[in-house]
Amino acid sequence: MLKINNLHASVEDKGILKGINLEVKAGEVHAIMGPNGSGKSTLASVIAGKEEYEVTDGNIIFEGEDIEELAAEERAHKGVFLSFQYPVEIPGVSVTNFIKTAINESRKAKGLGDMPAKDMLKLIREKADLLEMDRKFLSRSLNEGFSGGEKKRNEIFQMAMLEPKLAILDETDSGLDIDALRIVANGVNKLKSKDNAVVVITHYQRLLDYIVPDFVHVLYNGKIVKSGGKELAHELEEKGYDWIKEEVNA
Ligand SMILES: Nc1ncnc2c1ncn2[C@@H]1O[C@H](COP(=O)(O)OP(=O)(O)OP(=O)(O)O)[C@@H](O)[C@H]1O
Ligand SMILES: [Mg+2]
């Protein structure tokens, strides 16, 4: 599904990613961990196609196609979803109306007409229930006055509605209380299938108790310096990153 080869990327002429290699196959869950500033969010942004990042070498192949020249919006229409992609506050536009527009735009890009209102309503209710969301929340203005946890839950709701092929969740656990964490993780698990893939970026092993990864990668100084199974996350929780830094610098 996703194949990243020797990816180098910079922002404001500063090299951040320094040769990332990563392959994510359909049906897999990958976790990316690593110290602050190592490039995790940058990697997510580069995959999603945010404009401020420049790819200076290597490539990103999504579903067999080099997506470098595609705008973020086109990538989204092809099924790439990044949490935090729509953090804007839009007073007067409800959570529901925002997602309706997003869905119909993605259908338009595929040459389809608008989703019939009845189907849309049914889908919205189904996904809101899946994430145990209060119906009242759906009519609130997008992100306006949302608490950190509400923002995160709204992101997962957007993901549930859009059903992306590849979902990249950047620190979805930060700001969620224990119950919300469980609900959101269960939502992600229920949406998992053999046809889609999830990349979770997290600092804590805790989230990975709920969303169990097939692979864990450690990003350090713009490179993936170690990969393993879910036990690697436990090892990191226990030992921190120093041993990895020592290995790299040895
Ligand atoms: N838009 C930007 N402008 C300037 N510097 C940036 C920008 N985006 C990222 N960087 C720099 O790139 C480096 C990597 O940042 P990034 O956000 O990818 O780290 P991270 O691994 O996600 O860290 P954290 O764990 O703290 O979220 C940092 O030094 C950061 O300051
Ligand atoms: Mg980050």
Side-chain angles (χ1 to χ4, degrees):
M1 171 171 298
L2 178 74
K3 203 160 190 298
I4 295 176
N5 305 303
N6 190 34
L7 183 68
H8 288 68
S10 59
V11 65
E12 288 169 3
D13 292 329
K14 182 178 160 213
I16 311 283
L17 301 183
K18 300 169 183 167
I20 302 267
N21 294 297
L22 177 68
E23 183 170 9
V24 178
K25 298 200 179 101
E28 291 178 349
V29 176
H30 289 244
I32 297 181
M33 302 180 83
N36 292 132
S38 56
K40 303 179 297 296
S41 298
T42 301
L43 175 62
S45 299
V46 172
I47 297 170
K50 282 204 187 159
E51 277 164 20
E52 25 334 350
Y53 300 88
E54 196 196 344
V55 172
T56 50
D57 202 1
N59 55 26
I60 306 172
I61 310 291
F62 180 65
E63 302 258 273
E65 181 191 0
D66 191 330
I67 57 172
E68 193 188 328
E69 297 303 321
L70 299 182
E73 199 181 26
E74 293 169 291
R75 298 185 199 197
H77 291 157
K78 287 192 181 289
V80 178
F81 175 89
L82 173 62
S83 67
F84 259 129
Q85 197 154 10
Y86 311 111
V88 283
E89 277 187 27
I90 315 185
V93 173
S94 66
V95 168
T96 306
N97 277 331
F98 182 80
I99 198 67
K100 275 184 192 166
T101 307
I103 285 194
N104 283 331
E105 274 182 4
S106 134
R107 287 173 64 96
K108 203 157 122 194
K110 295 184 186 93
L112 299 168
D114 282 1
M115 184 183 283
K118 213 174 98 220
D119 296 353
M120 184 73 84
L121 189 65
K122 191 165 160 265
L123 189 66
I124 288 171
R125 293 209 164 138
E126 193 185 299
K127 302 301 184 185
D129 289 349
L130 178 78
L131 298 171
E132 299 179 36
M133 285 167 79
D134 190 340
R135 291 270 164 88
K136 270 186 246 154
F137 182 77
L138 298 171
S139 51
R140 282 182 60 179
S141 283
L142 190 74
N143 289 330
E144 203 184 9
F146 280 17
S147 75
E150 286 168 344
K151 278 188 190 150
K152 288 289 166 188
R153 210 187 281 217
N154 180 49
E155 281 172 19
I156 300 299
F157 172 66
Q158 290 171 343
M159 179 189 108
M161 289 293 294
L162 292 164
E163 298 184 332
K165 286 185 193 148
L166 174 70
I168 307 170
L169 307 175
D170 193 357
E171 289 181 43
T172 292
D173 46 349
S174 61
L176 288 179
D177 66 41
I178 304 287
D179 288 339
L181 181 74
R182 183 183 47 78
I183 292 164
V184 162
N186 281 344
V188 172
N189 287 333
K190 282 182 196 152
L191 297 165
K192 237 169 63 181
S193 81
K194 61 174 180 19
D195 301 316
N196 61 29
V198 185
V199 175
V200 270
I201 298 172
T202 181
H203 280 294
Y204 303 105
Q205 199 278 323
R206 188 182 62 172
L207 179 69
L208 306 179
D209 280 338
Y210 297 104
I211 304 175
V212 180
D214 300 296
F215 301 96
V216 174
H217 310 279
V218 180
L219 199 66
Y220 172 59
N221 199 11
K223 281 185 190 163
I224 290 176
V225 294
K226 201 169 189 70
S227 297
K230 62 176 189 293
E231 67 290 342
L232 179 56
H234 287 277
E235 208 174 347
L236 294 169
E237 183 99 340
E238 204 180 300
K239 303 203 261 175
Y241 289 112
D242 282 352
W243 62 288
I244 288 193
K245 293 179 189 170
E246 278 162 25
E247 264 183 35
V248 173
N249 296 327

